[in-house]
Amino acid sequence: SMPAAGGGRAGSGPLRQRGARRPQGAPPVSALASRAPAGWRAALGLVTLLSFASRFHRLPEPPHVCWDETHFGKMGSYYINRTFFFDVHPPLGKMLIGLAGYLSGYDGTFPFQKPGDRYEQHNYMGMRGFCAFLGSCLVPFAYLTVLELSKSLPAALLTAFILIFDTGCITLSQYILLDPILMFFLMGAVLSMVKCNSCADRPFSASWWLWLSLTGVNLAGAMGVKFVGLFVVLLVGLNTIYNLWDLLGNLSLSLVMFGKHFLARVLCLILLPLTLYVAMFAVHFAVLNKSGPGDGFFSSAFQSQLIGNNLHNVSIPEHLAYGSVVTMKNLRMAGGYLHSHWHLYPEGVGARQQQVTAYLHKDLNNLWIIKKHDSDTADLLDSSSPVEFVRHGDIIRLEHKETSRNLHSHQHEAPLTRKHFQVTGYGINGTGDSNDFWRIEVVGRRAGKLIKVLRSKIRLTHVATGCILGSSGKTLPKWGWEQVEVTCTPYVKETPNSLWNFEDHINPKLPNISLDVLKPSFVEILLESHMVMIRGNSGLKPKDNEVTSKPWHWPINYQGLRFSGVNETDYRVYLLGNPVVWWLNLFTIGLYLLIAISTAVVLKRGVQLTSEHKGELSRVVLRGGGQVALGWLLHYLPFFMMGRVLYFHHYFPAMLFSSMLTGKYWMLGEGEAETRTENCAVLDGHFNSSHSFYLFHPLSYGMIGPMASDPSSPMAGLRWMDSWEF
Amino acid sequence: MLGFLKKPVVVTAEINLSLVALTVVGLMSRLWGLSYPRAVVFDEVYYGQFVSLYMKRIFFVDDSGPPLGHMLLALGGYLGGFDGNFLWNRIGAEYSTNVPVCSLRFLPALAGALCIPLAYQILVELRFSHCAALGAALLILLENSLITQSRFMLLESILIFFILLAVLSYLKFYNLQRHSSFSGRWWFWLLLSGVACSCAVGVKYMGLFTYMLLLVIAGLHFWHMLGDQNLSNVGGATCKINHVLRKACVSLVCHFLARGLTLLIIPVATYLSFFYVHLTLLYRSGPHDQIMTSAFQASLEGGLARITQGQPLEVAYGSQITLRNVLGKPMQCWLHSHTNTYPIRYENGRGSSHQQQVTCYPFKDVNNWWIVKDPGMQQLVVSNPPRPVRHGHIVQLVHGITTRYLNTHDVAAPLSPHSQEVSCYIDYNISMPAQNLWRVEIVNRESDTDVWKTILSEVRFVHVNTSAVLKLSGASLPEWGYRQLEVVGEKLSKGYHQSMVWNVEEHRYGKSQEQKEREVELHSPTRMDISKNLSFMAKFTELQWKILTLKNEDTEHKYSSSALDWITMDTNIAYWLHPTSGAQIHLLGNVCTWASANVAAVVYTCLSLWYLIRRRRKIYDIPEDAWQLWVSAGQICVGGWVVNYLPFFLMEKTLFLYHYLPALTFQILLIPIVLQHLSDHLCRSLLSKSMFSALTVAWFSSVCFAYRTFSPVTYGEPLSVAELKDLRWKDSWNILIRKQGH
C-alpha cells in the first residue's frame, strides 16, 4: 500500500480511540445485559394472553362488510376462484387472506360488493381470525423488542400495555385488511434485527444465522404486502451499513472475516428476500390463471396467458390487411383500447362530434375497420378480390364498426390537454373528409414492410396536421363516462402514450396462425406488473375539492376513520387511537428529541463523565433509542412528500415505533434511580392507558345508540376533539 | 500630529491581474452584441409581460416563483426608460422601438459575467492553487449554455450569481473563523452569505436547495466547534480581554446566535422585504385579481375596490349580499340560483327533488344576490338600528329575484350522490317541509360574538336540520344546469376546507320597501376603507400561499425534457430562429465540458469511497490536510450538484434543460479540483506529472474547440444548411433546418 503520510495524527485521535474501544467494551455490557430480567417469560405469557383476548373479543361483530374489507375480501375471493385481477399492492397479503379463507372453508362466492353487505351464511371468520391472529402477535413482538433493547421488564411491559390498550390497533387488527399482515412482518423484521444485533458478539453462530435470515424473510414479507414495507427495508439497511462500518473499523478483524460478514448479509438480507419476493409473484401468477377484471390493465402479450381471455391460445391472421376488423391498444402501462360510442362531445368542448376515448375494458365499441384512404371497402369484402396487406407508411382510414364513423382529428383543442388536438368520430357511413387520413408507421421499420398484429408498435400520424394519435392518460368527466382522453399530440416525441398495437384481428380471407411465440418471460411479467402497480399508485390523487387526511393530523389523533355505520341505529365502529396513549407517545417523542440532542451535545463537549456512564448514555439514548426513533421517522416523514390520497391508518406502523419509544423512555432512569416519583409516574401511565381504554373501548367493540353529542349516549362527554365523528 | 509628513503616504494595492483579465473577458463574452437579436427570445415572452406590468404598476400573480427576479428584470426596464407598452405574445416577434432591449438584458448578462470571477474566488477559498482557480473560471467562461442563458431576459444567470456569491461569502467567513472571529470582515461575509441565500431564493425557489446545503454545512462546522475544547460554553464576562485569552472568551453561544441571526432571521426578513417592495410597487388591479380573496382584491386600486368602497361593513338582517366561494377553484364563483329546476330524473336514473337549482356562477349577475332574513320575522329590509348578524346566529337566505329560500334536504346531489342536494324552495304546504334554516359560523372569528363582516369574514353555513355544510363540489353541471358549478350540502364535513367557506363580497342594506327608505338612509351605516385593514403580513401570507398552490395546467412543451436527459445533454432548446437567414440560437452546452464534468464527479466519488474505506482500516494514502481539502471541496461542489439536480426527479412540473444549469455550475467547479488532486497525489514521478500536464492542455484545447464550434448557435450567427447539419452531433438535438426549395 501507499505510505501513510501523516496518518494517525493527533487530530483524529480521540474519536478513533472511542470507536476502537467499543468492541472490547461490548462483551461485558451485553454479557451483563443478557441476563434477562427475572419473570420475563411469565410476563410474556400474560401480555400475549391479553393481546389475543382483546383482539378476538367480539371478532364476528359486525357481521357485515366493513370499510376496505370490500377490496381485500374480494381479492381473497379472487385467489380462491383463481381469476386474474389488478391491485396497486403486491400480492402476498391478499394471497394469505385467500389462503386463510380457503383453509377455513370459505368458498369464494361472497361478492364483497360494498361496505354494509351482510355475510349471511358465508364463512368470513377464518379471514378475520387470521388477521386478528397476526395483529395479536404485534404485542409480544413489541414486548420482546423493547426487552432486548432496554433489558428492562417494566419498559417492555409498558410498551405491551400501551399497544394492548390502544383502540386503534385493536380495530385495525379485527378486519380483513392488509395492515395487520404488514405490521406483523414489519415488527417481525424489527425484532429479528434487534435479536441479531445482540448476537453480534458471537457471529456465525446458529442463533445469529437464524435471526439474520429471519430478518430477511420478514423484509420480503413486508415488501410483499404493501410497498410501504420499503421503509422497514430502509431501516434494516441503515442498521446493516452501520454494523458493517463498525466491523470495518475493527482492525482486529481481518479483511477475509469482514468479507464473510459482508457476504452473509448480502445473502440473508438481499438475495434471500429477493428470491422470496419473486417467488411470491410466481405463485401469484400461477394461481391466477383465469381471465378476470384486471385483464385490461395489462399488455396484449400478458393477456394471452389467461384462460378465458380472448387472446388465450389465440390464432389470428398475422399480418394486417385492408378490410380487417381490429382493436387497438395503447402501449402505455394500463393504457386502454381505442374506443368510440354514439355520444357526442358536449357543447363547448371542441367540435360537437362523436367522442373517441380509450377504454380499459373489452367491448364491441372497441372494434375498428381498416380501410384505404381513397376507396371504400365494398370491393375489399368481395371474396374474389385479392387480399391487400397494409404496409408501413401507408395512408389509411379507420372506421368505427358500430357507428360507421371515421377516426378524425382537426385543429380544435382537446377536452383536457389543451395543447393537443381533439380526436372525434366523423362522417356518415364511412364517408368523411381529408381529416380522416392517417399515416400508419411501425416503430423502427423501413417503408414497405408488412405490419404484424400484436407485435408491431404502431404510430398513427394525422396527415393534415402532422400530429400523432395518443392517449393522455387523463380521465374524462361524467360526459365522457370517465373513460380516458384520446388526443392528437403535435409534439413529435416517442412515448408509449402515442404508440399502439393491434390486438384482435378478424379477417375471414386470411389464414389464422397460432401466436404462442408471443408468450412473455417471467421477468417481463414481473416488470410489467410492477410498472402497472406503480402507475396505479400514483394515479390515486385526491380530487380538487376533496377533504383528505393530512400527515400532521395523525400523531395528534386528530381524526379517525369510519369503519362501519353512520346513523344512530347502526352498529358503529370508528378507527381512532386511544387518545391518552397517543398523546403520551407524542409527548415522549418531543422529550426524546430534547434528551437526545442534549446528550449528543454533552458528549461532544466532552463533559467529565466516567467512561461507563458515557458508554451507557450513548448506548441507551443514541443507539438503542436512535433505532426506534429512526424507525418512527422513516415510517412517518415520507408521507409528507407523497402526492397520493392518504388515510389515517397509514400512520399505524409509525405508531408502533413511537409506542416502543414511550415504553423505553419512561423507564430510562428506572434501573439506577428507583425513585418513588418515577414508579408513581409509571403506575400512573398504566392506569391512565387502561382507564382510557375502558372509556373508549366502544370505538372498537361497537357503538349502538345515540351519537356522542347526545347526553344519553355511552360516549357522551368523550368527544374531546370536535373533529372526532362518533 | 504632523506625523504624516515624516513618512510618505503609501497606498499598497494588490491587484490580481489574471482576475481582472478574466472579468473583462467574461464581460465581453456576455455583453457583446447584447441587443441582437432585436426580437423576443424564448421565455422573454413570459418574463416580459411581468416587466410590462411592473412598469404599469398592475398587480399580477406568477406561480413560477417569488418576485425578486422579476423585479430585477423590471429594474432593467425602468433604467432603460421602458413604458411597458409591448405586446408579449409570440416568440420571435420584433421589438418595437420603445423597448430598451439592451437595458432589459443587461442585468442578467452582468450577473452571468460576474460568475466567472466568483468561480475563481471560490476555488481560491477552497485552498486550491491559482492554476486550478484559473481553470474553473475559464471553464465557466467557455460554457456555451451559460453564455446563452445569460444573454437574454431570463432568470437563471441571476440565480447562479447569487448561489455562487452565497457559497463564496460563506467560505470567506469560514476561513476568517480561525483567527479573526467577530471581526468586521467576519461579520460582513457572514451577513453577505445570508443575504445572498435569500436573494437566490427570492429569484427562484430552486435557490432553496443551495440555501439548505449551506445551512447543513454551517451546522456541521458548528458541530465541530462544539468539540473544540478551547471555546468556552457561555459568555466571556469573567475573562480579561487580552490577546491570548480572547479566542477562548468568545463563547459558543455567541457563535451560535450570530449564525442563527445571519443565516436564518436575516434571510427571512430579506425575503419578506422583496414581497413588501413587490406589493408596494403593484397597487393597481389587474388580470389575476380573481385568484385572490375579496379582501385582497379590495385593497387594489380599481377593480373590486371601486364597487366595495363605502359599502356597509356589518352584515345585518335584511342585508342584500353576494356570496363568493373562498376556494377560487376551478374558478371564482358566486352562490347563484335561477328559475330552472333540477330535472326530475337524471341520465343515470336517479331522481331529484325537482326544486329550483342552486349553483355557483363564475360571472357577476343579478341572480347572485341573496337577502339575509331573520327566521322569526317577515321583513326583508334592514331595521333601524340595523341588527347585525353574529357568529352562531340562525338565518334564512332568500334569493333576491325569485324570493325562494336556500334549502337542503336528504336528496342526493346531482353529481355528488354522497352529498345533499341544495335547492331554492318555498313551502306552500304541498310536498316537502322546508328545511331552510342555516347557522352562520365565522371561521376566522376572534371571539364567539364576532359580527359577520363584509369581505373580511369567512363564513360557513351549517344546515340546522341535517348539520350539512354548504359546499362547492367543483364539478360542473350538465346541459340542464348551464355548465354552472354544483353546490351541495356536505354531510360528512371533515375539518376545514376552503370549498365550504364563503365570504360576502358586494353588500348593501335592503331598503326596497318605499316607506322606510328615508329612515334607513338617515341611519347611515358604519363605513370603512377595507384596504387599510389588510396588513402587509396578511397580504404576504395570501400571496405566498397562492404562488405555492397555484397549479399550472400545461404539462407539455415542445422542448421540455426529463431530468435524466440533462446529464448527457440529450436535449436542447431552440431559443430563437431568424425568419429568413439560417441564424438561430440554441441552449446547447459545451459538449466537452459536460462530459468532463460527469467524469470528474465519478472520479471524485470513487476516489472518496476508496480513501474512506482505507482510512477506516487505518491506511492513510494522502496527508490529513489534503484529505480535509478534498472533503470540503466535495461538500460544496458534489453537494451543490446533488441538491440542485436530484430533487428534479421528484418534481412533477414541466422541466427544461435550463433547470440543470445551477447543478452544472457546481459540477464544472469540480473538474479543476479533481485534476489538481490527481496531479498532486497520484502522479508521483516528474515524468508522469509532465505527461499529465500535457494531457490537461490537450483536453483544455478540446474544450476551446467545442466552444468555438458551437458559438454560432450561442450568439446567433447566420449559418448555411450544411453547417447546421454538421452541428447536429446528436440525433436527439433539435436543430432547425429549413427544407430546401421552399
Side-chain angles (χ1 to χ4, degrees):
Chain A
S1 71
M2 294 169 187
R9 280 162 30 149
S12 63
L15 265 170
R16 187 153 312 289
Q17 276 167 23
R18 206 178 300 150
R21 203 186 293 144
R22 193 183 297 118
Q24 289 121 39
V29 169
S30 71
L32 187 127
S34 64
R35 274 192 284 122
W40 70 274
R41 283 208 174 81
L44 175 65
L46 175 74
V47 295
T48 314
L49 197 70
L50 277 177
S51 167
F52 272 82
S54 60
R55 268 63 177 172
F56 278 87
H57 178 63
R58 307 196 67 175
L59 188 61
E61 296 291 323
H64 57 241
V65 178
C66 290
W67 197 52
D68 271 357
E69 282 190 340
T70 171
H71 299 302
F72 301 120
K74 196 189 294 168
M75 291 167 189
S77 311
Y78 283 137
Y79 279 104
I80 294 173
N81 300 326
R82 308 190 66 173
T83 37
F84 189 78
F85 68 96
F86 162 72
D87 185 39
V88 295
H89 303 301
L92 181 66
K94 291 152 300 189
M95 256 175 355
L96 289 176
I97 289 173
L99 182 69
Y102 180 71
L103 292 180
S104 64
Y106 166 62
D107 55 3
T109 48
F110 186 71
F112 282 100
Q113 246 161 14
K114 61 174 192 305
D117 289 354
R118 304 211 142 261
Y119 283 116
E120 310 293 357
Q121 82 286 1
H122 293 277
N123 186 353
Y124 63 99
M125 276 303 290
M127 292 184 277
R128 274 200 190 164
F130 171 72
C131 291
F133 176 82
L134 295 187
S136 309
C137 290
L138 295 179
V139 176
F141 281 8
Y143 168 87
L144 288 173
T145 308
V146 175
L147 194 66
E148 199 63 51
L149 280 175
S150 68
K151 305 296 175 197
S152 146
L153 188 59
L157 275 177
L158 183 61
T159 306
F161 278 105
I162 283 179
L163 290 179
I164 290 172
F165 291 136
D166 181 48
T167 46
C169 285
I170 294 178
T171 313
L172 206 60
S173 303
Q174 286 197 314
Y175 301 94
I176 308 169
L177 299 174
L178 294 186
D179 303 80
I181 309 175
L182 169 75
M183 292 200 287
F184 172 83
F185 285 118
L186 186 155
M187 279 306 292
V190 173
L191 175 62
S192 327
M193 176 185 88
V194 168
K195 282 279 188 189
C196 186
N197 281 348
S198 34
C199 293
D201 51 335
R202 35 181 208 289
F204 306 110
S205 64
S207 59
W208 187 85
W209 276 112
L210 173 75
W211 290 119
L212 193 62
S213 43
L214 266 183
T215 313
V217 171
N218 279 308
L219 287 185
M223 269 301 279
V225 178
K226 274 190 178 189
F227 283 127
V228 283
L230 198 65
F231 302 148
V232 76
V233 174
L234 266 178
L235 179 69
V236 172
L238 288 175
N239 177 67
T240 310
I241 290 173
Y242 180 90
N243 283 342
L244 283 176
W245 190 244
D246 219 33
L247 290 172
L248 187 67
N250 183 355
L251 290 184
S252 62
L253 207 67
S254 73
L255 272 180
V256 179
M257 273 309 280
F258 176 77
K260 279 187 186 169
H261 271 282
F262 182 74
L263 285 180
R265 282 163 175 87
V266 169
L267 182 71
C268 291
L269 299 179
I270 298 177
L271 295 182
L272 176 69
L274 211 61
T275 318
L276 287 175
Y277 185 75
V278 171
M280 245 172 252
F281 274 87
V283 174
H284 170 75
F285 290 120
V287 171
L288 301 181
N289 59 2
K290 289 185 203 157
S291 162
D295 291 14
F297 288 95
F298 288 83
S299 65
S300 311
F302 183 89
Q303 293 179 31
S304 69
Q305 301 220 299
L306 298 169
I307 301 168
N309 189 291
N310 55 346
L311 291 177
H312 185 65
N313 285 337
V314 76
S315 50
I316 48 176
E318 194 185 9
H319 295 292
L320 201 67
Y322 286 104
S324 292
V325 177
V326 294
T327 58
M328 282 174 71
K329 191 171 196 319
N330 193 244
L331 276 187
R332 68 194 285 271
M333 292 293 170
Y337 297 97
L338 189 69
H339 177 100
S340 184
H341 38 231
W342 282 111
H343 303 271
L344 305 184
Y345 283 103
E347 192 90 48
V349 182
R352 231 177 117 65
Q353 296 170 3
Q354 185 167 304
Q355 297 176 14
V356 172
T357 64
Y359 188 49
L360 277 171
H361 301 274
K362 306 208 165 191
D363 184 300
L364 279 182
N365 273 329
N366 299 343
L367 292 177
W368 300 80
I369 308 170
I370 303 212
K371 295 194 171 176
K372 289 189 148 187
H373 72 283
D374 48 1
S375 69
D376 205 24
T377 35
D379 51 324
L380 288 171
L381 286 176
D382 179 11
S383 56
S384 60
S385 69
V387 175
E388 192 171 347
F389 288 108
V390 182
R391 289 171 190 276
H392 172 93
D394 279 5
I395 291 176
I396 60 161
R397 194 155 51 86
L398 275 175
E399 186 182 309
H400 189 236
K401 187 158 183 281
E402 291 295 305
T403 60
S404 299
R405 296 205 194 278
N406 291 330
L407 187 73
H408 178 99
S409 183
H410 45 217
Q411 294 202 338
H412 285 272
E413 59 185 27
L416 300 178
T417 316
R418 292 290 159 87
K419 288 190 166 177
H420 293 184
F421 298 135
Q422 187 193 28
V423 176
T424 64
Y426 181 72
I428 295 167
N429 287 331
T431 319
D433 64 10
S434 63
N435 270 334
D436 303 346
F437 299 160
W438 301 82
R439 185 181 303 111
I440 185 166
E441 285 161 329
V442 183
V443 176
R445 203 74 71 75
R446 258 174 278 122
K449 288 282 164 71
L450 297 184
I451 291 166
K452 285 183 180 162
V453 174
L454 287 166
R455 269 173 289 181
S456 294
K457 294 177 178 175
I458 301 295
R459 184 174 46 217
L460 281 181
T461 311
H462 190 238
V463 176
T465 58
C467 62
I468 295 176
L469 185 75
S471 157
S472 69
K474 295 176 190 162
T475 308
L476 293 171
K478 274 262 155 56
W479 56 255
W481 309 99
E482 293 177 352
Q483 294 169 4
V484 181
E485 185 195 36
V486 165
T487 62
C488 197
T489 161
Y491 307 121
V492 189
K493 233 180 201 179
E494 200 87 317
T495 64
N497 287 17
S498 53
L499 294 179
W500 305 79
N501 70 341
F502 291 103
E503 191 170 293
D504 300 292
H505 182 206
I506 306 160
N507 194 328
K509 287 196 280 185
L510 290 174
N512 288 344
I513 57 156
S514 171
L515 284 172
D516 270 346
V517 276
L518 205 65
K519 205 170 198 173
S521 71
F522 178 69
V523 176
E524 281 168 350
I525 299 179
L526 197 67
L527 281 180
E528 181 178 351
S529 59
H530 275 83
M531 288 303 292
V532 176
M533 279 191 278
I534 289 167
R535 195 174 276 274
N537 249 322
S538 58
L540 295 173
K541 290 269 163 62
K543 298 201 182 75
D544 237 1
N545 287 18
E546 201 175 26
V547 184
T548 50
S549 183
K550 300 272 183 333
W552 63 265
H553 290 168
W554 303 339
I556 55 175
N557 208 15
Y558 178 76
Q559 201 165 42
L561 260 175
R562 226 182 247 118
F563 263 45
S564 153
V566 178
N567 298 322
E568 300 201 341
T569 50
D570 294 341
Y571 182 97
R572 299 189 305 274
V573 175
Y574 189 64
L575 175 73
L576 186 74
N578 181 336
V580 173
V581 166
W582 283 54
W583 293 341
L584 183 70
N585 282 347
L586 189 65
F587 176 69
T588 313
I589 289 166
L591 197 69
Y592 170 75
L593 286 181
L594 213 68
I595 293 177
I597 291 174
S598 40
T599 311
V601 170
V602 162
L603 289 178
K604 184 81 187 173
R605 286 300 287 161
V607 168
Q608 294 302 311
L609 284 173
T610 60
S611 58
E612 200 179 306
H613 261 110
K614 217 185 241 175
E616 183 73 2
L617 259 182
S618 76
R619 188 178 67 81
V620 173
V621 176
L622 299 178
R623 180 95 172 88
Q627 261 174 359
V628 180
L630 184 68
W632 177 74
L633 280 179
L634 283 178
H635 283 84
Y636 180 46
L637 289 192
F639 286 105
F640 282 95
M641 290 189 286
M642 283 189 197
R644 61 164 275 172
V645 186
L646 297 173
Y647 298 101
F648 177 53
H649 71 105
H650 287 150
Y651 182 66
F652 277 83
M655 185 267 175
L656 294 178
F657 285 99
S658 80
S659 300
M660 289 197 278
L661 198 66
T662 308
K664 256 173 83 60
Y665 276 88
W666 287 99
M667 296 302 152
L668 185 60
E670 181 256 3
E672 299 141 23
E674 288 284 0
T675 57
R676 188 168 294 165
T677 42
E678 263 170 8
N679 276 337
C680 284
V682 171
L683 278 178
D684 205 41
H686 281 282
F687 175 74
N688 274 336
S689 57
S690 52
H691 180 66
S692 60
F693 173 67
Y694 169 72
L695 291 177
F696 284 97
H697 77 270
L699 290 178
S700 321
Y701 295 139
M703 303 169 278
I704 301 182
M707 299 292 186
S709 48
D710 189 326
S712 67
S713 156
M715 302 302 290
L718 289 177
R719 247 186 95 185
W720 296 347
M721 287 176 86
D722 282 341
S723 47
W724 296 347
E725 310 135 313
F726 53 79
Chain B
M1 217 175 117
L2 293 174
F4 70 95
L5 290 176
K6 292 177 187 158
K7 284 182 188 166
V9 181
V10 179
V11 178
T12 326
E14 229 179 274
I15 297 175
N16 185 339
L17 279 181
S18 49
L19 191 59
V20 173
L22 274 174
T23 315
V24 171
V25 178
L27 283 171
M28 274 160 55
S29 72
R30 266 68 175 174
L31 293 175
W32 175 75
L34 200 57
S35 56
Y36 171 83
R38 223 189 134 74
V40 181
V41 176
F42 196 57
D43 266 356
E44 286 188 343
V45 74
Y46 181 73
Y47 294 117
Q49 52 178 334
F50 301 129
V51 171
S52 282
L53 289 171
Y54 271 114
M55 296 301 118
K56 298 179 172 175
R57 320 294 286 274
I58 291 173
F59 177 78
F60 66 89
V61 182
D62 175 25
D63 61 336
S64 73
L68 178 66
H70 301 56
M71 287 197 297
L72 286 176
L73 296 182
L75 178 69
Y78 175 76
L79 294 177
F82 182 39
D83 53 6
N85 289 327
F86 184 75
L87 203 59
W88 305 88
N89 57 356
R90 172 174 77 79
I91 295 174
E94 195 92 355
Y95 280 121
S96 52
T97 48
N98 64 327
V99 185
V101 184
C102 213
S103 131
L104 279 171
R105 289 176 183 166
F106 178 72
L107 274 181
L110 183 66
L114 289 182
C115 289
I116 295 161
L118 282 180
Y120 179 90
Q121 290 281 354
I122 286 177
L123 271 253
V124 169
E125 291 301 323
L126 282 171
R127 294 161 191 250
F128 281 83
S129 66
H130 162 75
C131 198
L134 200 65
L138 284 175
L139 285 174
I140 300 276
L141 174 72
L142 297 181
E143 174 51 51
N144 302 56
S145 58
L146 290 177
I147 298 177
T148 312
Q149 197 69 12
S150 307
R151 287 170 50 81
F152 302 102
M153 199 171 61
L154 305 169
L155 292 181
E156 271 68 25
S157 62
I158 303 179
L159 171 71
I160 295 172
F161 169 74
F162 281 125
I163 287 177
L164 291 184
L165 183 64
V167 169
L168 174 67
S169 35
Y170 183 80
L171 288 173
K172 288 239 185 211
F173 147 79
Y174 180 68
N175 288 336
L176 283 169
Q177 170 79 32
R178 257 161 251 181
H179 34 266
S180 49
S181 294
F182 296 100
S183 64
R185 290 201 300 158
W186 185 90
W187 275 111
F188 172 76
W189 288 114
L190 183 57
L191 209 63
L192 186 61
S193 172
V195 172
C197 279
S198 170
C199 290
V201 178
V203 172
K204 281 203 152 197
Y205 283 121
M206 251 193 93
L208 210 55
F209 300 139
T210 310
Y211 179 40
M212 290 295 148
L213 177 75
L214 279 188
L215 280 186
V216 168
I217 289 176
L220 273 179
H221 286 160
F222 186 71
W223 184 247
H224 290 314
M225 276 174 76
L226 273 181
D228 183 355
Q229 308 297 335
N230 291 329
L231 294 165
S232 75
N233 286 326
V234 259
T238 54
C239 296
K240 293 269 184 305
I241 302 296
N242 74 43
H243 287 286
V244 186
L245 273 178
R246 190 170 164 187
K247 225 163 93 180
C249 291
V250 178
S251 69
L252 276 177
V253 174
C254 291
H255 271 287
F256 184 76
L257 290 180
R259 283 165 176 76
L261 176 75
T262 45
L263 294 181
L264 291 173
I265 297 173
I266 288 190
V268 170
T270 322
Y271 183 75
L272 283 178
S273 71
F274 301 149
F275 274 86
Y276 187 79
V277 176
H278 175 76
L279 285 170
T280 315
L281 286 178
L282 306 179
Y283 60 87
R284 295 195 180 124
S285 81
H288 298 157
D289 277 16
Q290 72 282 0
I291 300 171
M292 311 307 287
T293 59
S294 307
F296 196 103
Q297 290 182 38
S299 72
L300 297 169
E301 196 177 272
L304 186 67
R306 232 178 332 202
I307 302 167
T308 54
Q309 218 148 45
Q311 65 182 25
L313 177 68
E314 297 183 343
V315 177
Y317 289 106
S319 279
Q320 300 174 356
I321 56 175
T322 62
L323 285 166
R324 180 185 193 263
N325 191 275
V326 170
L327 182 63
K329 275 181 219 165
M331 54 199 93
Q332 66 162 351
C333 64
W334 293 271
L335 191 69
H336 177 97
S337 183
H338 39 234
T339 48
N340 305 64
T341 56
Y342 288 110
I344 300 179
R345 293 234 163 262
Y346 299 121
E347 282 175 2
N348 56 8
R350 270 193 301 119
S352 81
S353 66
H354 198 47
Q355 294 173 3
Q356 182 172 312
Q357 297 172 14
V358 172
T359 64
C360 201
Y361 187 54
F363 303 98
K364 303 235 168 190
D365 186 88
V366 69
N367 269 325
N368 297 347
W369 284 94
W370 299 80
I371 303 166
V372 183
K373 178 180 169 293
D374 184 347
M377 296 205 260
Q378 279 309 311
Q379 62 179 6
L380 291 179
V381 293
V382 176
S383 62
N384 172 26
R387 292 186 303 123
V389 183
R390 291 174 191 279
H391 171 74
H393 278 195
I394 290 177
V395 301
Q396 288 169 322
L397 288 176
V398 184
H399 186 237
I401 300 294
T402 61
T403 62
R404 281 164 205 259
Y405 291 69
L406 188 73
N407 183 67
T408 182
H409 42 217
D410 197 8
V411 173
L415 300 180
S416 320
H418 297 293
S419 311
Q420 294 189 158
E421 180 192 88
V422 175
S423 62
C424 261
Y425 183 58
I426 293 186
D427 182 20
Y428 295 117
N429 286 329
I430 304 169
S431 54
M432 296 192 195
Q435 302 184 30
N436 53 23
L437 298 182
W438 299 85
R439 190 171 58 247
V440 176
E441 287 188 4
I442 300 174
V443 179
N444 57 348
R445 62 184 182 269
E446 270 148 23
S447 75
D448 278 351
T449 53
D450 257 19
V451 176
W452 182 7
K453 297 193 188 86
T454 311
I455 292 181
L456 301 174
S457 292
E458 299 185 345
V459 183
R460 287 190 344 153
F461 295 98
V462 183
H463 191 234
V464 173
N465 299 51
T466 60
S467 48
V469 180
L470 191 71
K471 178 188 169 182
L472 172 70
S473 80
S476 65
L477 295 169
E479 217 71 6
W480 52 259
Y482 306 98
R483 314 218 160 275
Q484 296 172 8
L485 300 172
E486 184 197 37
V487 170
V488 299
E490 174 71 52
K491 260 191 300 192
L492 310 172
S493 60
K494 284 196 203 161
Y496 170 87
H497 193 269
Q498 286 192 324
S499 60
M500 297 183 217
V501 183
W502 305 78
N503 70 282
V504 172
E505 192 163 283
E506 289 177 67
H507 176 212
R508 55 175 175 251
Y509 280 173
K511 47 187 176 180
S512 50
Q513 276 154 297
E514 303 296 318
Q515 67 275 24
K516 300 201 173 159
E517 204 169 317
R518 209 172 302 115
E519 280 177 52
V520 175
E521 274 174 29
L522 275 174
H523 297 272
S524 57
T526 46
R527 280 159 198 269
M528 61 166 300
D529 192 1
I530 286 158
S531 61
K532 293 210 176 88
N533 220 23
L534 204 60
S535 68
F536 162 68
M537 279 315 284
K539 281 167 126 182
F540 163 74
T541 326
E542 185 183 340
L543 181 58
Q544 178 70 79
W545 184 246
K546 288 278 150 72
I547 288 177
L548 290 180
T549 54
L550 209 64
K551 269 191 217 138
N552 213 336
E553 264 193 22
D554 301 326
T555 53
E556 209 172 3
H557 189 280
K558 192 171 178 191
Y559 290 105
S560 68
S561 49
S562 72
L564 211 57
D565 297 338
W566 303 342
I567 201 162
T568 48
M569 203 168 64
D570 276 339
T571 168
N572 70 323
I573 306 177
Y575 270 15
W576 172 80
L577 171 71
H578 193 273
T580 51
S581 80
Q584 44 191 296
I585 294 176
H586 286 267
L587 181 68
L588 202 56
N590 185 323
V591 184
C592 203
T593 311
W594 286 52
S596 339
N598 288 332
V599 171
V602 171
V603 169
Y604 182 89
T605 318
C606 294
L607 261 183
S608 300
L609 271 178
W610 171 251
Y611 287 149
L612 211 59
I613 290 174
R614 303 257 296 171
R615 285 171 66 85
R616 189 73 186 157
R617 299 299 290 183
K618 304 248 185 327
I619 305 164
Y620 299 94
D621 298 310
I622 51 170
E624 183 62 23
D625 29 353
W627 168 249
Q628 291 301 340
L629 282 188
W630 180 246
V631 169
S632 54
Q635 277 175 351
I636 298 283
C637 299
V638 179
W641 177 71
V642 165
V643 297
N644 281 299
Y645 179 46
L646 296 192
F648 285 104
F649 285 96
L650 299 175
M651 283 186 201
E652 287 177 358
K653 60 179 207 167
T654 321
L655 297 177
F656 294 95
L657 182 63
Y658 59 71
H659 285 128
Y660 184 60
L661 295 181
L664 177 77
T665 312
F666 280 109
Q667 215 188 11
I668 289 177
L669 294 185
L670 197 62
I671 301 175
I673 290 172
V674 169
L675 283 179
Q676 193 189 338
H677 184 85
L678 290 180
S679 109
D680 285 359
H681 298 287
L682 295 184
C683 303
R684 280 160 201 286
S685 65
L686 203 61
L687 179 69
S688 61
K689 264 197 179 22
S690 40
M691 285 273 287
F692 190 80
S693 310
L695 277 177
T696 310
V697 170
W699 161 78
F700 185 74
S701 39
S702 72
V703 171
C704 294
F705 170 74
Y707 162 76
R708 196 46 235 151
T709 313
F710 287 100
S711 67
V713 287
T714 303
Y715 290 99
E717 293 158 16
L719 283 175
S720 71
V721 174
E723 284 168 318
L724 281 171
K725 277 188 176 150
D726 280 347
L727 278 184
R728 204 169 160 212
W729 287 15
K730 281 193 179 183
D731 288 340
S732 52
W733 286 354
N734 206 338
I735 291 191
L736 309 165
I737 297 168
R738 255 166 229 288
K739 284 177 193 157
Q740 300 281 325
H742 278 263

